[in-house]
Amino acid sequence: MKPQRIIPAAILAAICCLFSATGAKRPWDHGRLTVSANSRFLCHADSTPFFWLGDTGWLLPQRLDRDEAAYYLKRAAEAGFNVVQIQVINGIPAFNTYGQMSMPDGFDFSRIDRPGVYGYWDHLDYIVDLAARNNIYIGMVAIWGGMVKAGMMDQEQAARYGTFLANRYKDRPNIVWIMGGDIQGDVHPEVWDTLARSIKAIDKNHIMTFHPRGRHTSARWFNDRDWIDFHMFQSGHRRYNQRMGNAYYPIEEGTEEDSWMYVDSTWTRKPIRPVIDGEPSYEDIPQGLHSDSEPRWTARDIRRYAYWSVFAGSCGHTYGHNAIMQFAKPGYNGAYFADGITKPWYKALDDEGYGQTKHLKDLMLSLPYFERVPDQSVIRGNGERYDRLIATRGPGYLLVYNHTGRPMDIDISKVSANRKDAFWMDAATGGMSYIGEFGDEILYRPANREADGVLVVTDPSLGYFSRETPTLRTAVTKTKRDLTE
C-alpha cells in the first residue's frame, strides 16, 4: 500500500510561497551552484559564497523510513550541515526499509512509478524534498563504485540510468551529482564518462564531481573532462605509517594523515578547479578500518582534518561518523565494528564532533571569502605531523590553525595595518577571546595545550570582530571580481 504523502506538491509550493512572502531565503534563491571566478571556490549564480559543509549519510535512502529521515535531516541542519552525501543505490537492485527495490525491471525505467505503490524512487523523492525544506543539498552518488568494478553496469546501461536520473531530478533545486563512489577513476572510465555525460546532457542546473578511493584525488583521472565542475579527494582513514601491506600505494608512506597535501597536488593540474575532502577519517571508526583493536578517530582528529584541508584551500569539508554514515541501529550493526545497539545512529548525533565543524564554516563566512589564499610563508619554525601549523589569509586577516597548542611564531606583516588585533578561537566550541594588539610579529602560546584552535589576526579598522565580545557571525560577503591567482 502506498502511504499518504506528507508533503504534496501543492503544499510544497505553498511553503515556498510563504518563505518568499516573508523574505526568508533558501540557498538556491541565490541561484544555482557554480564555480567562482577564480576557479577555487563554489558560489551561487549571484556570487553568494557557498561553503560546502557535508555530512556523510551514505545509506540514508536504504536504511531510514520517512519519520527517521525527517529527524535525521532536521538534526543535520541544526548542526550546520548544508550537504548530505548519499548512495542513490548501494546494490543492483537496492532495497529500502519498505522492501521496495530500485530496479524491478533492470535498467528499463519506463514503468518505475507504479500506481498505488510507494516505491524506491518515491521514497528518494521524499528525502530530496525533505532535505530542501531543511536547506540541505543532496550529494547524489549515483551508483557505488564497487558495482561498476564488478561489471554490473556497462556503458549502455549507464546511459539509460543517467537519462533516468537527470529527467527525474533536474528540476529539484538541491542536487549535486557525484560520480564514482570509493573507486579509482581508471576502473571502467568509459562507464563513468557515459553516466556523467548522460546526466549533463539533460541536467544543466547542477554541478558534478567524482568521489575517489582513499588517498586519491579525482584530478588524477578527470581534470580534463568537460563534465567535472570541482574535484573531490578521499584522505581516508589511516594514521601515519599505517600502510597495511598495500602493494599499490599512491602516496609517500608517513603522509597518510596530511589531508592538506591533496589540495596542493590537485592544484598542480590545469585548469584549476575547486577541491574538497569528500571522505576524511570518520569519528568513532577504527584507525585503518579493519581491526576493532585499533584506536578510534576522535572529534579532535576530525577537526584537524577539516582545518588542515580548508586552510590549504578547500572549498568546504565533509564530516563523517561510523554509525551515522551507515545508520547503524538495532538489527543493523553495520560494517567497521559499528554497534547498532550500543551506539545507534540517533545517539551518535550527540557525539562531540557532529556539531563542531560548523564553527569552521562560520569562521570562513565571517570574513571576505573569495580572496582567501593559503600562505605557509607567515609561519616561522613550523613543526611536523600533528605539530604542523597551517595558515590562510585574505584582505585584512590572517588565520593559523594549531592542532597541539604549541608555541607559535607568526609573521603578521601581510595584514595591512600598523597595529593588528589578535584573537584565539577554540576549534571545539567556536568561542573567541581577545589576545591583544600587535605590530608585525606575534609570539603566542595558547593557554590550553590540550585545546586546538585558530589564531585570528585582523585589521581592526575593518571591524571583523569586536575586542569586547568577539563572536563568529555569518554575514556572507559577495564579490564579482576576477581574482585569479
Side-chain angles (χ1 to χ4, degrees):
M1 179 179 294
K2 188 172 184 176
Q4 181 181 0
R5 288 184 181 275
I6 295 176
I7 315 172
I11 295 178
L12 269 177
I15 292 171
C16 291
C17 290
L18 174 62
F19 273 90
S20 176
T22 57
K25 278 186 172 289
R26 298 297 197 188
W28 33 88
D29 289 340
H30 294 284
R32 70 181 187 90
L33 290 181
T34 187
V35 174
S36 65
N38 64 1
S39 301
R40 294 173 185 262
F41 303 103
L42 298 178
C43 63
H44 293 276
D46 71 353
S47 297
T48 300
F50 180 76
F51 183 92
W52 174 302
L53 189 62
D55 187 22
T56 307
W58 293 136
L59 296 184
L60 170 58
Q62 294 83 29
R63 288 278 173 89
L64 299 193
D65 64 25
R66 291 164 68 95
D67 291 338
E68 290 172 321
Y71 178 71
Y72 163 69
L73 288 167
K74 177 177 180 292
R75 289 291 303 272
E78 290 171 350
F81 296 110
N82 53 18
V83 180
V84 170
Q85 297 172 197
I86 68 167
Q87 293 181 25
V88 175
I89 57 172
N90 68 330
I92 298 180
F95 290 85
N96 66 19
T97 191
Y98 297 108
Q100 295 297 317
M101 69 170 64
S102 60
M103 305 154 97
D105 300 315
F107 286 91
D108 178 1
F109 296 95
S110 61
R111 297 181 300 275
I112 199 67
D113 294 313
R114 292 167 292 166
V117 176
Y118 183 69
Y120 187 94
W121 299 98
D122 292 307
H123 190 50
L124 185 57
D125 294 347
Y126 168 77
I127 288 169
V128 170
D129 292 339
L130 197 60
R133 290 183 62 198
N134 287 279
N135 296 328
I136 290 174
Y137 286 84
I138 295 294
M140 300 186 81
V141 178
I143 181 172
W144 204 242
M147 286 174 274
V148 173
K149 184 176 183 179
M152 299 173 71
M153 184 176 77
D154 60 25
Q155 279 186 271
E156 181 182 350
Q157 292 166 331
R160 293 180 192 170
Y161 183 45
T163 299
F164 163 71
L165 288 175
N167 281 319
R168 193 169 190 104
Y169 295 108
K170 62 183 172 64
D171 295 323
R172 253 67 174 204
N174 60 323
I175 300 295
V176 175
W177 294 110
I178 305 177
M179 300 297 100
D182 198 26
I183 191 170
Q184 293 170 208
D186 55 359
V187 177
H188 296 301
E190 72 284 356
V191 173
W192 298 118
D193 281 332
T194 300
L195 179 61
R197 288 179 176 139
S198 298
I199 292 172
K200 283 276 192 169
I202 297 167
D203 182 2
K204 311 297 184 183
N205 301 320
H206 302 120
I207 56 176
M208 182 178 285
T209 189
F210 182 97
H211 174 270
R213 194 160 178 78
R215 295 160 298 285
H216 286 88
T217 167
S218 60
R220 179 170 183 174
W221 308 285
F222 299 116
N223 200 56
D224 63 345
R225 297 304 203 270
D226 55 358
W227 51 261
I228 200 159
D229 298 293
F230 67 105
H231 287 301
M232 185 172 278
F233 63 89
Q234 181 188 160
S235 57
H237 308 274
R238 296 186 185 178
R239 65 174 178 266
Y240 288 123
N241 295 316
Q242 197 175 33
R243 188 182 180 104
M244 302 178 71
N246 286 113
Y248 176 72
Y249 210 56
I251 60 172
E252 183 181 346
E253 189 168 3
T255 64
E256 289 80 356
E257 298 183 50
D258 293 340
S259 60
W260 49 268
M261 72 178 177
Y262 295 97
V263 183
D264 294 350
S265 65
T266 297
W267 279 354
T268 64
R269 302 173 187 270
K270 301 296 184 289
I272 286 177
R273 302 181 191 273
V275 62
I276 192 170
D277 192 348
E279 187 173 335
S281 293
Y282 293 157
E283 188 169 11
D284 199 37
I285 204 168
Q287 295 176 10
L289 299 181
H290 302 300
S291 172
D292 198 24
S293 65
E294 294 285 357
R296 299 206 174 199
W297 295 108
T298 68
R300 187 168 178 173
D301 297 310
I302 271 60
R303 296 193 299 270
R304 171 172 51 86
Y305 273 85
Y307 283 87
W308 274 1
S309 173
V310 169
F311 281 22
S314 289
C315 62
H317 190 70
T318 296
Y319 165 89
H321 190 290
N322 191 22
I324 298 168
M325 63 98 172
Q326 54 190 323
F327 296 97
K329 56 185 176 180
Y332 289 108
N333 268 349
Y336 311 117
F337 313 99
D339 188 334
I341 296 176
T342 302
K343 185 179 285 186
W345 66 267
Y346 41 86
K347 288 186 178 179
L349 295 172
D350 296 321
D351 273 10
E352 184 182 352
Y354 191 71
Q356 291 181 342
T357 48
K358 67 183 176 185
H359 305 310
L360 172 58
K361 181 181 75 170
D362 290 346
L363 176 62
M364 294 298 98
L365 293 177
S366 292
L367 297 161
Y369 190 73
F370 299 111
E371 298 91 339
R372 181 173 67 85
V373 296
D375 188 354
Q376 291 299 92
S377 70
V378 302
I379 300 168
R380 296 168 173 164
N382 208 347
E384 297 180 351
R385 295 195 177 183
Y386 303 129
D387 274 336
R388 186 181 194 270
L389 306 176
I390 190 163
T392 185
R393 62 178 176 84
Y397 71 88
L398 170 67
L399 310 174
V400 183
Y401 174 73
N402 185 332
H403 177 65
T404 60
R406 73 177 188 84
M408 311 165 72
D409 182 355
I410 309 297
D411 175 4
I412 59 175
S413 62
K414 290 183 180 179
V415 177
S416 55
N418 291 330
R419 304 295 294 176
K420 292 93 169 170
D421 279 346
F423 307 84
W424 179 255
M425 190 195 91
D426 186 303
T429 66
M432 294 186 71
S433 56
Y434 180 63
I435 297 171
E437 187 181 81
F438 297 86
D440 287 339
E441 180 183 47
I442 181 169
L443 299 171
Y444 180 64
R445 179 191 293 270
N448 185 354
R449 177 82 176 178
E450 300 303 317
D452 59 318
V454 180
L455 176 68
V456 180
V457 181
T458 67
D459 178 345
S461 71
L462 299 176
Y464 294 141
F465 304 107
S466 164
R467 292 181 179 182
E468 289 74 25
T469 55
T471 55
L472 295 178
R473 58 186 184 278
T474 54
V476 176
T477 57
K478 296 191 292 184
T479 180
K480 294 182 180 292
R481 291 182 293 162
D482 186 347
L483 296 164
T484 303
E485 282 288 292

